[in-house]
């Protein structure tokens, strides 16, 4: 995840502060020096890091911290609030979509930053909300750019408007007329990638905006570009005019300083973040939630939203009922793994849970789920419904059929037995359930 190194550094700083019963000004200054170094190492703009630490220091030196019974917790609270403010405040910025007529959104950015893919992601996101998007191929320079847009457009079930190598301004005008005729209320213009020093191509964007009334210009920025991403955002904003930013590759192991610097340097908010390679992997950027992730507090709200979006609620209710009635079998377990995969896998869920950032994702064996699925699928219907009938001979057959070892089959059956015991415990004494959940460690 982006900010992983920053999260680790800040966790170290806060751990030192917690070891002090009462904080002195010297303690706060030393902590802020470390915070500033951590921000700079995460590729945060120097002025942004300096101003941020100055604000935190000023508040941390006040009575609310110095006279507090939990001064370290108060400092963490201040850092959380200032991080949130730095990225845009409590409320997530939103792309304004008209209720009537066509909303025109233009995507721009450097070559290779993922504009075409994120045009499709954006189209899919709004199609789910009941909009009728139209993708428009305005990239006439890159070989196969039009073909790529048509491929991803088909994958998200959104029509693509093309006119070959006609001028982008003309294509945009014709596309808007087409959208009016066919009832498309969201027109997404996918423009060619360019260098910010390429004055001719930059001017082309200006002319495109003059040819059609663009409601929002979104800059697609690679989070892995670090400080360069901020410079790009500044140049595009000054030349073309930008209304918001889509930050891509935020799921990568990057320093992530761009997210902390873009708004402060350009005044333009991050609207969306790309969190993976799939066309579903686009999320609204919530500053408060990102601040929580950076500080290891998790992002439970996003986890809940992802669960609601991915899960089959009827199947979930059915599984919960079967568990409480002690009827949960291997078929139900198979369904639960399918739900976890839809949500991005165990490591993706872990990153959103409080304290989850402290666990190394490499320790989460995502392939274990595939092995468990293979084991269950190698069982007969009778064995899935009643695992207690599985004897040593059956275990050998299941292991051979799933390409696993007998030990793996035994481990799964033992975990299943533990789940059964836990469910019985819940029915008898709900209060002791939480205490016994520790027995489920190492499931993955």
């Amino acid at each position: 995840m982006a900010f992983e190194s920053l999260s680790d550094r800040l966790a170290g700083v806060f751990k030192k502060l917690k070891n002090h019963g009462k904080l002195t000004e010297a303690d706060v200054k030393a902590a802020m020096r470390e915070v500033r170094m951590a921000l700079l190492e995460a590729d945060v703009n120097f002025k942004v890091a300096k101003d941020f630490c100055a604000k935190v220091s000023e508040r941390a030196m006040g009575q609310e911290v110095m006279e507090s019974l939990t001064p370290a917790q108060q400092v963490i609270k201040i850092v959380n609030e200032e991080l949130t403010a730095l990225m845009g405040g409590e409320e997530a910025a939103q792309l304004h979509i008209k209720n009537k007529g066509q909303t025109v959104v233009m995507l721009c950015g450097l070559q290779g930053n993922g504009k075409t893919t994120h045009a499709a992601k954006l189209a899919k996101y709004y199609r789910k909300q009941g909009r009728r998007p139209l993708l428009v191929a305005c990239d006439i320079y890159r070989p196969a750019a039009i073909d790529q847009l048509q491929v991803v457009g088909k994958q998200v079930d959104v029509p693509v408007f093309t006119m070959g190598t006609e001028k982008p301004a003309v294509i945009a005008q014709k596309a808007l007329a087409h959208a009016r005729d066919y009832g498309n209320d969201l027109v997404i213009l996918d423009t060619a990638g360019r260098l910010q020093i390429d004055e001719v191509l930059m001017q082309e964007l200006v002319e495109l905006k003059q040819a059609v009334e663009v409601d929002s210009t979104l800059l697609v920025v690679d989070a892995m570009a670090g400080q360069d991403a901020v410079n790009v955002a500044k140049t595009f904003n000054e030349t073309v005019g930008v209304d918001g930013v889509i930050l891509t590759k935020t799921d990568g192991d990057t320093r992530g300083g761009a997210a902390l610097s873009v708004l402060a340097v350009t005044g333009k908010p991050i609207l969306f973040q790309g969190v993976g390679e799939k066309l579903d992997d686009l999320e609204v950027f919530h500053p408060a939630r990102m601040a929580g992730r950076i500080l290891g507090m998790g992002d439970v709200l996003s986890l809940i939203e992802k669960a609601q979006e991915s899960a089959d609620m009827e199947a979930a209710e059915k599984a919960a009922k079967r568990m409480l009635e002690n009827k949960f079998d291997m078929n139900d377990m198979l369904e639960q793994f399918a739900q976890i995969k839809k949500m991005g896998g165990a490591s993706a869920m872990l990153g959103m849970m409080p304290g989850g950032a402290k666990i190394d994702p490499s320790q989460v064996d995502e392939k274990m789920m595939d092995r468990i699925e293979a084991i269950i699928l190698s069982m007969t219907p009778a064995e899935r419904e009643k695992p207690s009938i599985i004897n040593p001979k059956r275990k050998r057959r299941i292991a051979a059929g799933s390409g696993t070892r007998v030990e793996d089959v035994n481990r799964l059956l033992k975990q299943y037995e533990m789940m059964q015991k836990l469910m019985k415990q819940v029915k008898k004494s709900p209060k002791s359930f939480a205490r016994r959940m520790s027995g489920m460690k190492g499931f993955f």
Side-chain angles (χ1 to χ4, degrees):
M1 185 195 101
F3 300 114
E4 195 170 319
S5 59
L6 177 59
S7 296
D8 291 342
R9 285 291 302 271
L10 291 180
V13 174
F14 296 143
K15 188 176 180 181
K16 287 181 186 176
L17 286 179
K18 286 177 183 176
N19 290 334
H20 295 273
K22 195 158 187 169
L23 296 182
T24 65
E25 286 193 15
D27 292 331
V28 173
K29 284 181 180 177
M32 286 306 105
R33 276 197 298 272
E34 288 192 49
V35 169
R36 187 167 67 233
M37 286 303 298
L39 291 171
L40 293 173
E41 284 177 13
D43 232 346
V44 174
N45 177 275
F46 175 77
K47 186 177 184 303
V48 172
K50 184 181 175 184
D51 291 347
F52 174 82
C53 291
K55 286 179 183 177
V56 174
S57 295
E58 186 180 346
R59 290 182 61 187
M61 297 292 190
Q63 287 185 328
E64 63 173 314
V65 171
M66 293 304 180
E67 296 181 10
S68 170
L69 292 173
T70 56
Q73 291 293 345
Q74 287 294 325
V75 172
I76 295 170
K77 180 174 177 284
I78 291 170
V79 171
N80 183 41
E81 289 171 355
E82 292 297 333
L83 270 178
T84 301
L86 184 63
M87 292 186 284
E90 288 290 335
E91 296 297 320
Q94 294 185 345
L95 183 65
H96 177 66
I97 306 290
K98 297 174 187 173
N99 289 325
K100 289 184 179 180
Q102 284 70 39
T103 300
V104 181
V105 177
M106 181 174 80
L107 300 192
C108 60
L110 298 187
Q111 295 167 340
N113 278 9
K115 284 182 303 305
T116 301
T117 304
H118 281 78
K121 286 184 180 184
L122 201 62
K124 185 170 187 179
Y125 176 84
Y126 281 106
R127 190 173 68 79
K128 283 182 179 179
Q129 296 189 7
R131 298 288 175 178
R132 297 192 63 203
L134 174 70
L135 289 165
V136 183
C138 291
D139 182 354
I140 60 172
Y141 305 106
R142 182 168 61 91
I146 296 171
D147 291 340
Q148 184 190 353
L149 189 65
Q150 287 175 323
V151 168
V152 291
K154 188 176 181 181
Q155 288 173 352
V156 297
D157 195 23
V158 170
V160 177
F161 183 87
T162 67
M163 284 183 65
T165 55
E166 183 62 76
K167 287 186 178 180
V170 175
I171 295 172
Q173 287 175 327
K174 296 287 186 183
L176 195 52
H178 177 90
R180 291 192 195 103
D181 292 340
Y182 287 86
N184 299 105
D185 55 5
L186 177 61
V187 180
I188 301 172
L189 308 178
D190 176 34
T191 66
R194 59 209 72 216
L195 300 172
Q196 66 263 43
I197 57 171
D198 194 328
E199 293 181 11
V200 175
L201 284 176
M202 293 293 273
Q203 184 59 33
E204 183 180 85
L205 290 177
V206 175
E207 290 171 1
L208 197 155
K209 290 184 75 170
Q210 290 170 347
V212 296
E213 188 180 338
V214 175
D215 296 288
S216 295
T217 301
L218 302 186
L219 179 67
V220 180
V221 171
D222 185 344
M224 297 178 76
Q227 193 56 52
D228 284 341
V230 182
N231 297 331
V232 167
K234 189 176 179 183
T235 305
F236 269 85
N237 186 43
E238 289 171 352
T239 310
V240 181
V242 172
D243 299 296
V245 172
I246 297 177
L247 197 64
T248 70
K249 301 179 186 174
T250 60
D251 59 316
D253 183 17
T254 64
R255 290 170 288 181
L260 295 176
S261 308
V262 166
L263 177 65
V265 173
T266 67
K268 306 303 176 183
I270 298 170
L271 299 176
F272 295 95
Q273 58 178 351
V275 293
E277 295 179 2
K278 295 176 183 175
L279 295 174
D280 283 312
D281 296 334
L282 184 73
E283 293 179 359
V284 171
F285 185 82
H286 293 274
R289 299 183 192 182
M290 182 57 78
R293 287 197 200 188
I294 292 170
L295 298 178
M297 298 173 184
D299 182 1
V300 177
L301 285 174
S302 290
L303 182 60
I304 291 169
E305 285 174 5
K306 186 163 273 200
Q308 288 175 334
E309 185 182 309
S310 306
D312 181 337
M313 298 312 292
E314 192 177 328
E317 286 175 13
K318 180 184 168 187
K321 187 179 178 183
R322 286 175 62 80
M323 285 181 89
L324 290 173
E325 292 175 354
N326 208 26
K327 294 178 181 177
F328 191 87
D329 60 23
M330 289 293 181
N331 291 312
D332 297 307
M333 188 180 278
L334 202 60
E335 282 186 23
Q336 295 308 304
F337 281 126
Q339 296 293 344
I340 291 171
K341 278 189 173 182
K342 278 185 186 178
M343 292 171 65
S347 58
M349 291 169 62
L350 193 65
M352 296 183 194
M353 294 171 68
K358 295 176 184 176
I359 301 173
D360 183 359
S362 65
Q363 293 178 356
V364 180
D365 188 359
E366 295 282 5
K367 289 183 180 178
M368 174 61 79
M369 283 199 288
D370 294 330
R371 289 197 290 272
I372 291 173
E373 283 183 341
I375 291 170
I376 296 173
L377 290 171
S378 293
M379 295 177 184
T380 65
E383 289 167 346
R384 286 185 219 171
E385 289 176 15
K386 196 175 180 182
S388 59
I389 67 171
I390 300 176
N391 57 27
K393 185 178 179 181
R394 289 175 184 258
K395 288 176 186 178
R396 288 194 293 272
R397 190 204 77 241
I398 292 166
S402 59
T404 59
R405 299 170 302 167
V406 173
E407 291 94 319
D408 296 323
V409 178
N410 284 331
R411 189 181 300 114
L412 174 60
L413 293 173
K414 187 176 180 182
Q415 287 164 349
Y416 174 77
E417 285 173 17
M418 287 169 64
M419 287 179 70
Q420 295 286 84
K421 287 177 183 177
L422 281 170
M423 289 310 109
K424 286 179 184 177
Q425 186 66 40
V426 171
K427 289 184 77 175
K428 288 180 183 177
S429 175
K431 287 184 180 178
S432 67
F433 176 65
R435 290 198 302 270
R436 299 195 62 175
M437 278 302 289
S438 59
M440 294 298 290
K441 279 184 181 178
F443 195 87
F444 295 110

